[in-house]
Amino acid sequence: MASQSQGIQQLLHAEKRAAEKVAEARKRKARRLRQAKEEKIQAMQANHHRNKEKVLRQLLMLVCDIKPEIHHNYRFNI
């Protein structure tokens, strides 16, 4: 009977260790996912900033490049 009780205790202990290992693995996975998410967000923000500057520069070039000319539908009244 004692060996049976001892076997049950070993099984319970092994189950507890397995549960702890699974919990630790889940924590590591969550940490890796969080880190990957943060890195991706930083990369997106850097791309946004770089593209924003490029778009603003192009927009300012178009706005400031004024070529005065008479519209082709304008009719002179003489």
Side-chain angles (χ1 to χ4, degrees):
M1 192 71 164
S3 66
Q4 208 176 26
S5 176
Q6 187 180 16
I8 292 172
Q9 290 299 321
Q10 285 178 338
L11 284 174
L12 290 173
H13 185 66
E15 185 179 342
K16 182 179 178 182
R17 283 185 302 180
E20 289 171 354
K21 285 185 178 184
V22 168
E24 185 60 34
R26 285 182 178 152
K27 287 179 186 177
R28 281 194 310 269
K29 181 180 178 183
R31 223 178 0 254
R32 284 194 319 263
L33 287 173
R34 195 175 319 115
Q35 182 181 6
K37 181 180 175 184
E38 289 173 2
E39 289 172 0
K40 189 163 255 187
I41 288 173
Q42 288 175 352
M44 287 173 55
Q45 287 175 339
N47 284 338
H48 173 74
H49 182 69
R50 191 170 34 250
N51 290 337
K52 179 181 170 184
E53 291 295 323
K54 183 179 175 182
V55 169
L56 283 175
R57 203 173 313 114
Q58 289 176 346
L59 185 60
L60 283 173
M61 262 183 22
L62 290 172
V63 169
C64 294
D65 187 25
I66 300 172
K67 298 175 186 168
E69 55 187 42
I70 297 174
H71 194 274
H72 63 275
N73 287 336
Y74 180 77
R75 293 191 181 157
F76 291 100
N77 290 328
I78 298 179

